[in-house]
Amino acid sequence: MLQISIMSRRRLYSVAPIIKVEPTRGLMDELMKMEVSHLVPNQPVTLHSRLESDDSFFWEAYAHYVSDAEGTVKVTRDVSVGGTYTGREPMGLIWSMTAAPGTQHGMRLRKIDVTKPYLVNISLYDGHLSHGFEAKAELASVVVERSYIAPGVTRSELEGQVVGTLFLPPGPGPFPAVLDMWGGGGGLVEYRASLLASRGFVTLALVYMAHKDLPEKKQSFSLNPKYFEDAFNTLNNHPKVARGHVAILGLSYGVSLALYMATEIKNINPSCLVCISGSHVLLNKKESEDMFGNFLIKKDRIKLADSGAMIWRNIALPITDNPEHVVEVAKIRCPLMLIVGEDDQNWPVPEATVEITKLMKTAKNAHLLTVLSYPGAGHLIEPPYSPHCRESKFKINSTQQRVILLWGGDTKAHSYAQEDSWRKILAYLEKHTVLRHQTSAAQCKL
């Protein structure tokens, strides 16, 4: 009876559990600290995160914890013993998110409207749960904001000669700048550019294919050197940009374009190149050639994963030495960073990196090369804490065909690659583009 009475009084006077998150409003690349307090000692609990994407789908993650002798769980300190991730992972509730049950196959979480933050609902449940969260009573909950754009960063759309979106950090400048290019899916992708601007770089998210404001012929891509020269000069000549302090960053097919711009277009002289998950192979170096047309003639090299997703990496194997289909990396005269996912199933990036390294050694410009290679990482190496996308839908713009592509990667290893590479990208850009005497590239805070 005495034991029951003590337990009853404990329940009567106990404080309800609380989830504390710092910061509650932060940039997408900022680390969150999360702590749960006022639990019973050694209590098994589940933390569950959920957000609604800009295209109205839900994404979620969950993790199993056990409170300590003080009745607390500290996500930065404690180990998840089950869920969508395990181990000591401070940001696991973000990067391990997957599409909620019932979501159509092949979706990818991508920010469409960077001016609005993700609202992430984090809930606490008693016991170790794996499903049916909506039907369970929450012990506590909190909403946190995760943004891709900091206060004071301005966004302006460019139309006409160059199409894209320009992001300017707050302050008078002059700032270093980055020309940001995504891959062969085309369209306008802004979230990496807005995040770079939030870290002090004027950034142009450049459109070069499959966008309503481009000429009709660019719905399928053929190479037009003048367009890329105009884009670089638009950035380099901007009054808020430190002229001559412009980097080019590309992902996937954007890497081939970045290398081409730095070596083949006379009036483009970048401070450095950052190349993520790409190669020096450029199947359409001639202006009349269509990129995806060259892909399709090699469709016998496309393999299928067990899930039915297409594996494209064999299209470019073996790596060609035909000068009509590769960029001459021997001509590179600026620092070059290559970022490689060793489980890339979309493109033969590891093999291409070996070839680029060999060619640059022969040309005696290998001292300009930095390689970051990540075991277990796939093709889509994005800003940190972005949920890993192993496969997703993809539209081949020249044919309008929609397919599922396998990008590759193990979730935890891929997440590590994103976090580590982003930190090193920012440091690399600062080293090679920031004026040593200026402080105008200071990072913005929410």
Side-chain angles (χ1 to χ4, degrees):
M1 287 293 292
L2 179 61
Q3 185 179 9
I4 295 173
S5 177
I6 292 172
M7 291 177 66
S8 298
R9 286 200 303 272
R10 184 172 184 177
R11 284 196 296 268
L12 180 64
Y13 294 109
S14 65
V15 179
I18 297 173
I19 306 173
K20 181 181 179 181
V21 180
E22 293 181 353
T24 55
R25 297 174 64 236
L27 290 170
M28 193 66 185
D29 63 353
E30 281 188 84
L31 187 71
M32 284 191 315
K33 295 181 180 179
M34 191 182 311
E35 180 176 336
V36 181
S37 57
H38 305 305
L39 295 168
V40 174
N42 302 313
Q43 180 178 353
V45 293
T46 299
L47 282 167
H48 175 257
S49 59
R50 183 178 173 91
L51 65 80
E52 185 176 6
S53 67
D54 290 353
D55 46 5
S56 301
F57 293 100
F58 287 96
W59 294 74
E60 62 182 4
Y62 66 94
H64 298 156
Y65 289 94
V66 177
S67 64
D68 64 14
E70 302 298 322
T72 65
V73 171
K74 294 182 180 180
V75 176
T76 55
R77 176 198 67 187
D78 297 336
V79 171
S80 167
V81 296
T84 51
Y85 67 93
T86 57
R88 187 176 293 106
E89 298 291 345
M91 296 299 293
L93 286 170
I94 305 296
W95 60 251
S96 73
M97 281 186 166
T98 58
T103 303
Q104 58 182 276
H105 179 62
M107 300 306 296
R108 177 180 171 191
L109 183 62
R110 303 186 85 183
K111 199 78 182 81
I112 299 169
D113 184 355
V114 298
T115 66
K116 298 177 181 178
Y118 281 134
L119 300 179
V120 184
N121 190 82
I122 299 173
S123 302
L124 175 71
Y125 296 92
D126 187 31
H128 288 165
L129 308 179
S130 299
H131 56 83
F133 296 100
E134 298 83 357
K136 303 294 184 180
E138 299 174 345
L139 297 180
S141 67
V142 65
V143 176
V144 298
E145 294 184 7
R146 304 293 291 176
S147 299
Y148 279 97
I149 190 167
V153 173
T154 59
R155 174 187 178 276
S156 57
E157 297 179 13
L158 304 183
E159 298 177 7
Q161 187 176 7
V162 173
V163 180
T165 304
L166 185 67
F167 293 92
L168 300 174
F175 299 99
V178 179
L179 181 65
D180 185 21
M181 297 183 294
W182 286 76
L188 176 61
V189 185
E190 297 183 348
Y191 56 90
R192 186 171 60 201
S194 61
L195 202 53
L196 284 167
S198 299
R199 296 305 180 194
F201 300 91
V202 173
T203 308
L204 173 57
L206 182 66
V207 173
Y208 61 85
M209 179 176 64
H211 189 270
K212 61 182 177 60
D213 293 330
L214 287 173
E216 184 177 351
K217 65 180 181 179
K218 280 197 172 61
Q219 298 307 310
S220 59
F221 177 72
S222 58
L223 194 61
N224 178 1
K226 187 177 185 307
Y227 181 77
F228 294 99
E229 182 179 348
D230 289 344
F232 185 87
N233 289 335
T234 295
L235 198 53
N236 195 34
N237 296 332
H238 192 279
K240 275 199 168 187
V241 170
R243 186 175 175 85
H245 295 263
V246 180
I248 303 177
L249 189 156
L251 179 139
S252 192
Y253 191 70
V255 168
S256 301
L257 294 175
L259 293 172
Y260 177 83
M261 291 169 69
T263 57
E264 302 292 341
I265 304 179
K266 183 167 55 176
N267 296 322
I268 293 181
N269 296 294
S271 298
C272 65
L273 302 174
V274 176
C275 296
I276 307 170
S277 301
S279 74
H280 61 313
V281 175
L282 189 61
L283 297 178
N284 59 329
K285 279 182 73 175
K286 295 179 181 178
E287 195 171 337
S288 60
E289 293 179 323
D290 171 63
M291 173 178 66
F292 285 109
N294 278 313
F295 275 9
L296 294 174
I297 63 174
K298 298 183 177 183
K299 61 184 179 181
D300 59 305
R301 299 186 188 179
I302 296 173
K303 307 299 181 184
L304 295 180
D306 292 342
S307 65
M310 289 184 175
I311 300 172
W312 277 7
R313 70 183 321 276
N314 292 321
I315 290 174
L317 287 177
I319 301 295
T320 181
D321 58 2
N322 183 343
E324 292 187 1
H325 291 147
V326 294
V327 176
E328 294 182 68
V329 294
K331 295 180 180 180
I332 289 174
R333 295 294 178 263
C334 68
L336 166 63
M337 172 180 277
L338 300 179
I339 297 173
V340 182
E342 294 182 14
D343 188 43
D344 193 325
Q345 297 299 313
N346 181 251
W347 205 242
V349 178
E351 293 90 339
T353 300
V354 170
E355 188 64 20
I356 289 171
T357 302
K358 182 176 72 175
L359 291 170
M360 291 184 70
K361 284 181 178 178
T362 300
K364 301 190 184 310
N365 62 348
H367 62 284
L368 298 170
L369 180 62
T370 299
V371 177
L372 304 179
S373 190
Y374 295 98
H379 186 73
L380 297 177
I381 298 177
E382 301 202 76
Y385 316 128
S386 302
H388 169 229
C389 179
R390 182 167 173 81
E391 61 181 49
S392 70
K393 294 179 180 179
F394 183 87
K395 184 170 77 171
I396 301 174
N397 289 293
S398 59
T399 65
Q400 300 300 299
Q401 181 185 4
R402 294 184 183 273
V403 299
I404 300 287
L405 294 185
L406 183 68
W407 307 110
D410 167 79
T411 298
K412 184 174 285 193
H414 191 88
S415 175
Y416 170 78
Q418 293 187 151
E419 184 175 0
D420 186 73
S421 64
W422 182 253
R423 175 174 54 83
K424 290 175 180 175
I425 287 170
L426 293 179
Y428 192 79
L429 290 173
E430 181 174 357
K431 176 180 178 181
H432 294 293
T433 67
V434 175
L435 294 169
R436 290 300 96 197
H437 65 274
Q438 75 174 25
T439 59
S440 58
Q443 297 181 0
C444 310
K445 293 285 187 180
L446 281 182

